[in-house]
Amino acid sequence: MRDDLAKWAAERAPALLAQAEEEALVVLRDALVAAALGEEKREQATPSPPPSGPMPEPEAGELLWAYCVAPAGDRQPPARTGIEPGTEVQAIEASGLVALVSRVPRAEFGEAPLRRNLNDLAWLERVARAHESVLDEALEATTIVPLRLCTLFESEDGVREMLEREGRALRDALELLRGRQEWSAKVIVDPDKVAAEARARSDQAQAFEDELEDVGGGGAYMLRRRLERHLREVGASLVRELAHEVHGRLEEHALDSVTRPPQNRELSGHEGDMILNAAYLVEAERVGELRDVATQLEAQHEALGARVELSGPWPPYNFVPTGAATIA
Protein backbone atom coordinates (compact mmCIF):
# COMPACT_ATOMS: atom_id res chain seq x y z
CA MET A 1 0.00 0.00 0.00
CA ARG A 2 2.87 2.37 0.85
CA ASP A 3 4.32 2.16 -2.68
CA ASP A 4 0.91 2.80 -4.23
CA LEU A 5 0.39 5.73 -1.89
CA ALA A 6 3.75 7.25 -2.73
CA LYS A 7 3.02 6.90 -6.45
CA TRP A 8 -0.39 8.49 -6.00
CA ALA A 9 1.07 11.35 -3.98
CA ALA A 10 3.71 12.05 -6.63
CA GLU A 11 1.13 12.10 -9.39
CA ARG A 12 -1.15 14.35 -7.35
CA ALA A 13 1.52 16.79 -6.18
CA PRO A 14 0.19 19.76 -8.20
CA ALA A 15 -3.33 19.13 -6.95
CA LEU A 16 -2.13 18.83 -3.36
CA LEU A 17 -0.33 22.13 -3.69
CA ALA A 18 -3.47 23.81 -4.99
CA GLN A 19 -5.52 22.30 -2.18
CA ALA A 20 -3.08 23.46 0.46
CA GLU A 21 -3.18 26.96 -0.95
CA GLU A 22 -6.89 27.16 -1.80
CA GLU A 23 -8.81 24.84 0.51
CA ALA A 24 -9.24 24.05 4.17
CA LEU A 25 -7.26 21.45 6.08
CA VAL A 26 -10.23 19.10 6.00
CA VAL A 27 -9.45 18.32 2.37
CA LEU A 28 -5.95 17.20 3.22
CA ARG A 29 -7.11 15.48 6.39
CA ASP A 30 -9.80 13.43 4.68
CA ALA A 31 -8.00 12.84 1.39
CA LEU A 32 -4.51 12.27 2.70
CA VAL A 33 -3.62 12.56 6.38
CA ALA A 34 -6.48 10.92 8.27
CA ALA A 35 -6.94 8.38 5.49
CA ALA A 36 -3.56 7.31 4.17
CA LEU A 37 -1.65 8.06 7.37
CA GLY A 38 -4.07 6.52 9.85
CA GLU A 39 -1.85 3.50 10.53
CA GLU A 40 -0.26 3.47 13.96
CA LYS A 41 3.04 2.34 12.48
CA ARG A 42 4.24 2.91 8.94
CA GLU A 43 7.53 3.32 7.14
CA GLN A 44 8.38 6.80 6.04
CA ALA A 45 7.06 7.56 2.57
CA THR A 46 9.60 8.10 -0.18
CA PRO A 47 9.80 11.84 -0.90
CA SER A 48 9.69 13.23 -4.40
CA PRO A 49 13.14 13.53 -6.02
CA PRO A 50 14.75 16.95 -5.65
CA PRO A 51 14.59 19.27 -8.65
CA SER A 52 17.57 19.20 -10.99
CA GLY A 53 19.98 22.10 -11.18
CA PRO A 54 21.59 24.22 -8.47
CA MET A 55 19.56 24.86 -5.34
CA PRO A 56 18.89 28.50 -4.44
CA GLU A 57 20.44 29.98 -1.31
CA PRO A 58 18.26 29.32 1.78
CA GLU A 59 16.07 32.26 2.76
CA ALA A 60 16.99 33.88 6.05
CA GLY A 61 14.66 34.88 8.86
CA GLU A 62 11.33 33.65 10.13
CA LEU A 63 7.64 33.69 9.28
CA LEU A 64 4.57 33.26 11.46
CA TRP A 65 2.41 30.19 10.86
CA ALA A 66 -1.21 30.82 11.94
CA TYR A 67 -3.48 28.07 13.28
CA CYS A 68 -6.76 29.65 14.24
CA VAL A 69 -8.59 32.69 15.62
CA ALA A 70 -10.47 32.78 18.93
CA PRO A 71 -12.23 35.41 21.08
CA ALA A 72 -9.73 37.41 23.13
CA GLY A 73 -11.70 37.06 26.37
CA ASP A 74 -12.00 33.27 26.31
CA ARG A 75 -9.74 30.82 28.09
CA GLN A 76 -6.74 30.08 25.91
CA PRO A 77 -5.21 26.61 25.47
CA PRO A 78 -2.06 25.79 27.45
CA ALA A 79 1.28 26.60 25.84
CA ARG A 80 2.40 23.89 23.47
CA THR A 81 4.95 23.27 20.75
CA GLY A 82 4.18 24.53 17.25
CA ILE A 83 4.79 22.70 14.01
CA GLU A 84 8.52 23.34 14.33
CA PRO A 85 10.30 21.57 17.23
CA GLY A 86 11.40 23.96 19.94
CA THR A 87 8.90 26.69 19.07
CA GLU A 88 5.94 27.66 21.22
CA VAL A 89 2.47 28.63 20.09
CA GLN A 90 1.83 32.24 21.02
CA ALA A 91 -1.26 34.45 21.04
CA ILE A 92 -1.41 37.73 19.12
CA GLU A 93 -4.33 39.95 20.04
CA ALA A 94 -6.15 42.73 18.17
CA SER A 95 -9.71 43.91 17.68
CA GLY A 96 -11.06 41.70 20.47
CA LEU A 97 -9.64 38.58 18.81
CA VAL A 98 -6.65 36.29 19.32
CA ALA A 99 -4.68 34.50 16.62
CA LEU A 100 -2.62 31.49 17.64
CA VAL A 101 0.68 31.42 15.76
CA SER A 102 4.19 29.98 15.95
CA ARG A 103 7.46 30.86 14.31
CA VAL A 104 8.79 28.85 11.36
CA PRO A 105 12.03 29.24 9.38
CA ARG A 106 11.70 31.08 6.10
CA ALA A 107 14.24 28.64 4.62
CA GLU A 108 11.61 25.90 4.90
CA PHE A 109 8.34 27.84 4.67
CA GLY A 110 9.13 30.65 2.27
CA GLU A 111 7.31 30.55 -1.06
CA ALA A 112 9.85 28.53 -3.07
CA PRO A 113 10.84 25.99 -0.37
CA LEU A 114 7.20 25.57 0.63
CA ARG A 115 6.29 24.56 -2.90
CA ARG A 116 9.03 21.96 -2.86
CA ASN A 117 8.08 20.66 0.58
CA LEU A 118 4.42 20.24 -0.35
CA ASN A 119 5.58 17.59 -2.82
CA ASP A 120 7.12 15.60 0.05
CA LEU A 121 4.53 13.29 1.58
CA ALA A 122 6.49 12.73 4.81
CA TRP A 123 6.95 16.48 5.32
CA LEU A 124 3.29 17.14 4.60
CA GLU A 125 2.25 14.45 7.08
CA ARG A 126 4.36 15.96 9.86
CA VAL A 127 3.14 19.50 9.30
CA ALA A 128 -0.53 18.57 8.90
CA ARG A 129 -0.49 16.43 12.04
CA ALA A 130 1.20 19.16 14.08
CA HIS A 131 -1.21 21.81 12.76
CA GLU A 132 -4.23 19.71 13.66
CA SER A 133 -2.81 18.88 17.08
CA VAL A 134 -2.71 22.59 17.93
CA LEU A 135 -6.27 23.01 16.66
CA ASP A 136 -7.48 20.07 18.75
CA GLU A 137 -6.12 21.60 21.96
CA ALA A 138 -7.50 25.03 21.10
CA LEU A 139 -10.90 23.52 20.36
CA GLU A 140 -11.01 21.97 23.84
CA ALA A 141 -10.44 25.37 25.42
CA THR A 142 -12.54 27.77 23.35
CA THR A 143 -14.48 28.44 20.14
CA ILE A 144 -12.19 28.75 17.15
CA VAL A 145 -12.18 29.69 13.49
CA PRO A 146 -9.57 27.30 12.05
CA LEU A 147 -7.28 28.77 9.43
CA ARG A 148 -6.32 26.81 6.35
CA LEU A 149 -3.01 25.00 6.14
CA CYS A 150 -0.08 27.23 5.11
CA THR A 151 -1.56 30.49 6.40
CA LEU A 152 1.66 32.50 6.84
CA PHE A 153 2.47 36.07 7.86
CA GLU A 154 5.61 38.16 7.60
CA SER A 155 5.30 39.67 11.08
CA GLU A 156 3.15 40.09 14.19
CA ASP A 157 1.93 43.40 12.75
CA GLY A 158 0.69 41.49 9.71
CA VAL A 159 -1.32 39.20 11.98
CA ARG A 160 -2.82 42.16 13.83
CA GLU A 161 -3.71 43.85 10.55
CA MET A 162 -5.53 40.69 9.45
CA LEU A 163 -7.48 40.53 12.71
CA GLU A 164 -8.53 44.15 12.36
CA ARG A 165 -9.33 43.88 8.64
CA GLU A 166 -11.32 40.65 8.95
CA GLY A 167 -12.60 41.31 12.46
CA ARG A 168 -16.28 41.50 11.60
CA ALA A 169 -16.31 38.28 9.55
CA LEU A 170 -14.31 36.46 12.23
CA ARG A 171 -16.55 37.63 15.07
CA ASP A 172 -19.65 36.59 13.10
CA ALA A 173 -18.11 33.17 12.50
CA LEU A 174 -17.21 32.74 16.17
CA GLU A 175 -20.74 33.68 17.19
CA LEU A 176 -22.16 31.14 14.73
CA LEU A 177 -19.86 28.37 16.03
CA ARG A 178 -20.07 29.07 19.77
CA GLY A 179 -21.48 26.07 21.61
CA ARG A 180 -21.53 23.99 18.43
CA GLN A 181 -19.33 21.18 17.17
CA GLU A 182 -18.48 19.58 13.85
CA TRP A 183 -18.91 15.81 13.76
CA SER A 184 -18.05 13.47 10.91
CA ALA A 185 -20.19 10.48 9.94
CA LYS A 186 -19.07 7.74 7.59
CA VAL A 187 -21.34 4.85 6.61
CA ILE A 188 -19.64 1.64 5.45
CA VAL A 189 -21.36 -1.55 4.27
CA ASP A 190 -20.20 -5.10 3.67
CA PRO A 191 -20.46 -5.72 -0.12
CA ASP A 192 -20.99 -9.47 0.38
CA LYS A 193 -23.87 -8.86 2.76
CA VAL A 194 -25.33 -6.27 0.38
CA ALA A 195 -25.25 -8.82 -2.45
CA ALA A 196 -26.86 -11.48 -0.26
CA GLU A 197 -29.58 -9.08 0.89
CA ALA A 198 -30.24 -7.99 -2.69
CA ARG A 199 -30.75 -11.62 -3.68
CA ALA A 200 -33.01 -12.28 -0.68
CA ARG A 201 -35.21 -9.25 -1.31
CA SER A 202 -35.68 -9.70 -5.06
CA ASP A 203 -38.44 -11.92 -6.45
CA GLN A 204 -36.99 -11.28 -9.92
CA ALA A 205 -33.65 -12.77 -8.83
CA GLN A 206 -35.41 -15.94 -7.76
CA ALA A 207 -37.20 -16.07 -11.11
CA PHE A 208 -33.87 -15.80 -12.94
CA GLU A 209 -32.41 -18.60 -10.85
CA ASP A 210 -35.43 -20.86 -11.47
CA GLU A 211 -35.10 -20.22 -15.19
CA LEU A 212 -31.39 -21.04 -15.10
CA GLU A 213 -32.18 -24.57 -14.02
CA ASP A 214 -33.86 -25.21 -17.39
CA VAL A 215 -31.45 -23.35 -19.67
CA GLY A 216 -28.00 -24.37 -20.86
CA GLY A 217 -25.18 -23.17 -23.14
CA GLY A 218 -25.14 -19.58 -24.35
CA GLY A 219 -28.63 -18.96 -23.04
CA ALA A 220 -27.52 -19.75 -19.51
CA TYR A 221 -24.53 -17.44 -19.84
CA MET A 222 -26.70 -14.51 -20.92
CA LEU A 223 -29.21 -15.23 -18.20
CA ARG A 224 -26.49 -15.28 -15.54
CA ARG A 225 -25.24 -11.93 -16.81
CA ARG A 226 -28.77 -10.53 -16.53
CA LEU A 227 -29.04 -11.92 -13.00
CA GLU A 228 -25.71 -10.36 -11.99
CA ARG A 229 -26.70 -6.99 -13.45
CA HIS A 230 -30.07 -7.16 -11.70
CA LEU A 231 -28.45 -7.95 -8.34
CA ARG A 232 -26.00 -5.06 -8.76
CA GLU A 233 -28.90 -2.70 -9.45
CA VAL A 234 -30.87 -3.94 -6.45
CA GLY A 235 -27.78 -3.70 -4.23
CA ALA A 236 -27.06 -0.17 -5.44
CA SER A 237 -30.63 0.80 -4.66
CA LEU A 238 -30.35 -0.64 -1.14
CA VAL A 239 -27.19 1.32 -0.32
CA ARG A 240 -28.62 4.54 -1.80
CA GLU A 241 -31.68 4.19 0.39
CA LEU A 242 -29.49 3.49 3.41
CA ALA A 243 -27.26 6.50 2.79
CA HIS A 244 -30.32 8.72 2.31
CA GLU A 245 -31.94 7.43 5.51
CA VAL A 246 -28.83 7.83 7.65
CA HIS A 247 -28.12 11.32 6.36
CA GLY A 248 -31.72 12.38 6.86
CA ARG A 249 -31.90 11.02 10.40
CA LEU A 250 -28.61 12.63 11.44
CA GLU A 251 -29.64 15.93 9.88
CA GLU A 252 -32.66 16.01 12.17
CA HIS A 253 -30.27 16.49 15.10
CA ALA A 254 -27.94 18.97 13.38
CA LEU A 255 -28.02 22.65 12.47
CA ASP A 256 -26.24 22.15 9.16
CA SER A 257 -24.58 19.41 7.14
CA VAL A 258 -22.14 18.88 4.29
CA THR A 259 -21.62 15.75 2.20
CA ARG A 260 -18.34 14.84 0.54
CA PRO A 261 -17.27 12.06 -1.83
CA PRO A 262 -16.67 8.73 -0.07
CA GLN A 263 -13.02 8.05 0.67
CA ASN A 264 -11.01 5.63 -1.43
CA ARG A 265 -10.68 2.26 0.31
CA GLU A 266 -7.03 1.85 -0.73
CA LEU A 267 -6.10 5.17 0.86
CA SER A 268 -8.19 5.07 4.02
CA GLY A 269 -7.72 1.37 4.73
CA HIS A 270 -11.35 0.83 5.74
CA GLU A 271 -12.95 -2.54 5.08
CA GLY A 272 -16.14 -2.53 3.02
CA ASP A 273 -17.71 0.12 0.78
CA MET A 274 -18.12 3.67 2.06
CA ILE A 275 -21.52 4.97 0.94
CA LEU A 276 -21.73 8.21 2.97
CA ASN A 277 -19.09 10.72 4.04
CA ALA A 278 -20.70 13.69 5.73
CA ALA A 279 -20.12 16.35 8.38
CA TYR A 280 -22.70 17.82 10.74
CA LEU A 281 -22.77 21.00 12.81
CA VAL A 282 -24.34 20.02 16.11
CA GLU A 283 -25.25 21.83 19.32
CA ALA A 284 -22.79 20.52 21.90
CA GLU A 285 -25.59 19.31 24.18
CA ARG A 286 -27.14 17.26 21.34
CA VAL A 287 -24.07 15.19 20.48
CA GLY A 288 -25.44 12.36 22.62
CA GLU A 289 -28.59 12.29 20.49
CA LEU A 290 -26.45 12.00 17.37
CA ARG A 291 -24.60 9.04 18.85
CA ASP A 292 -27.84 7.33 19.83
CA VAL A 293 -29.28 7.71 16.32
CA ALA A 294 -26.10 6.33 14.76
CA THR A 295 -26.24 3.28 17.05
CA GLN A 296 -29.92 2.67 16.24
CA LEU A 297 -29.36 2.92 12.50
CA GLU A 298 -26.41 0.56 12.63
CA ALA A 299 -28.52 -2.05 14.43
CA GLN A 300 -31.46 -1.61 12.06
CA HIS A 301 -29.28 -2.27 9.02
CA GLU A 302 -27.16 -5.09 10.36
CA ALA A 303 -28.24 -7.24 7.39
CA LEU A 304 -26.18 -4.96 5.11
CA GLY A 305 -23.19 -5.04 7.45
CA ALA A 306 -23.70 -1.32 8.02
CA ARG A 307 -21.29 0.62 10.24
CA VAL A 308 -22.10 4.23 11.12
CA GLU A 309 -18.79 5.71 12.27
CA LEU A 310 -19.05 9.01 14.13
CA SER A 311 -15.94 11.00 14.99
CA GLY A 312 -15.38 14.43 16.46
CA PRO A 313 -15.41 17.11 17.45
CA TRP A 314 -13.31 18.37 14.53
CA PRO A 315 -12.13 21.90 13.81
CA PRO A 316 -15.24 23.28 12.07
CA TYR A 317 -13.77 23.89 8.60
CA ASN A 318 -16.95 22.78 6.88
CA PHE A 319 -19.11 25.37 8.62
CA VAL A 320 -16.96 28.50 8.81
CA PRO A 321 -18.64 31.21 6.73
CA THR A 322 -16.82 31.83 3.46
CA GLY A 323 -15.54 35.29 4.39
CA ALA A 324 -13.75 33.96 7.46
CA ALA A 325 -12.61 30.69 5.92
CA THR A 326 -10.62 32.23 3.07
CA ILE A 327 -8.30 34.45 5.10
CA ALA A 328 -4.75 34.21 3.81
Side-chain angles (χ1 to χ4, degrees):
M1 173 183 166
R2 180 176 61 82
D3 292 341
D4 291 340
L5 176 59
K7 179 181 178 183
W8 176 88
E11 292 172 348
R12 291 281 292 164
L16 285 173
L17 176 56
Q19 287 171 348
E21 293 177 336
E22 299 296 335
E23 299 179 7
L25 176 61
V26 68
V27 177
L28 288 173
R29 183 189 69 207
D30 284 349
L32 182 62
V33 179
L37 307 174
E39 304 162 4
E40 291 185 4
K41 295 182 180 179
R42 60 184 289 276
E43 296 180 16
Q44 189 176 46
T46 303
S48 301
S52 58
M55 294 292 290
E57 288 294 322
E59 300 181 44
E62 294 180 319
L63 296 168
L64 289 172
W65 177 288
Y67 301 91
C68 63
V69 174
D74 283 9
R75 178 173 66 93
Q76 298 302 315
R80 63 159 293 120
T81 302
I83 61 172
E84 282 298 289
T87 63
E88 282 193 358
V89 175
Q90 64 183 99
I92 298 178
E93 183 175 344
S95 192
L97 300 166
V98 165
L100 297 185
V101 305
S102 67
R103 298 185 181 278
V104 294
R106 192 183 293 268
E108 187 175 353
F109 292 88
E111 183 177 355
L114 181 61
R115 287 183 179 276
R116 290 194 300 270
N117 286 329
L118 286 171
N119 293 333
D120 183 337
L121 182 60
W123 184 94
L124 185 58
E125 172 192 1
R126 178 185 70 80
V127 169
R129 284 189 183 278
H131 182 93
E132 190 160 341
S133 181
V134 173
L135 293 184
D136 287 343
E137 288 204 11
L139 194 60
E140 291 181 4
T142 184
T143 305
I144 66 169
V145 171
L147 300 178
R148 67 190 185 186
L149 205 66
C150 304
T151 299
L152 293 155
F153 294 89
E154 292 280 347
S155 66
E156 293 187 12
D157 285 342
V159 178
R160 294 188 184 95
E161 289 172 7
M162 179 276 290
L163 293 175
E164 292 170 357
R165 183 180 67 250
E166 307 293 343
R168 181 172 180 177
L170 288 165
R171 283 188 290 272
D172 288 347
L174 289 167
E175 183 62 29
L176 172 69
L177 297 171
R178 186 176 293 277
R180 296 162 179 175
Q181 299 177 354
E182 176 174 330
W183 282 75
S184 166
K186 294 175 173 59
V187 179
I188 300 169
V189 296
D190 183 329
D192 292 335
K193 289 188 175 183
V194 170
E197 191 68 8
R199 186 182 298 270
R201 294 193 189 188
S202 172
D203 294 336
Q204 183 64 48
Q206 186 60 54
F208 279 134
E209 290 175 344
D210 291 342
E211 190 176 350
L212 273 170
E213 295 180 1
D214 302 321
V215 177
Y221 171 79
M222 295 303 297
L223 196 57
R224 278 194 295 270
R225 292 294 300 274
R226 289 176 62 191
L227 173 60
E228 292 168 0
R229 183 169 61 250
H230 172 72
L231 290 175
R232 285 197 300 271
E233 291 171 352
V234 174
S237 177
L238 289 176
V239 298
R240 281 196 303 270
E241 291 172 4
L242 173 58
H244 182 75
E245 179 184 357
V246 173
H247 185 51
R249 290 284 303 281
L250 294 178
E251 273 191 315
E252 293 174 1
H253 300 270
L255 298 166
D256 199 0
S257 65
V258 173
T259 58
R260 296 194 175 278
Q263 292 173 343
N264 184 291
R265 185 191 306 178
E266 283 70 31
L267 289 178
S268 69
H270 67 263
E271 295 183 1
D273 294 337
M274 187 179 296
I275 63 171
L276 179 67
N277 181 18
Y280 302 88
L281 183 65
V282 185
E283 298 281 2
E285 63 268 19
R286 300 194 69 183
V287 170
E289 298 175 18
L290 203 72
R291 291 184 183 277
D292 290 343
V293 170
T295 300
Q296 293 166 13
L297 287 165
E298 193 170 277
Q300 289 170 13
H301 297 282
E302 184 179 3
L304 298 176
R307 303 198 312 273
V308 183
E309 300 181 351
L310 282 182
S311 62
W314 293 103
Y317 280 107
N318 285 296
F319 304 104
V320 175
T322 303
T326 56
I327 292 169

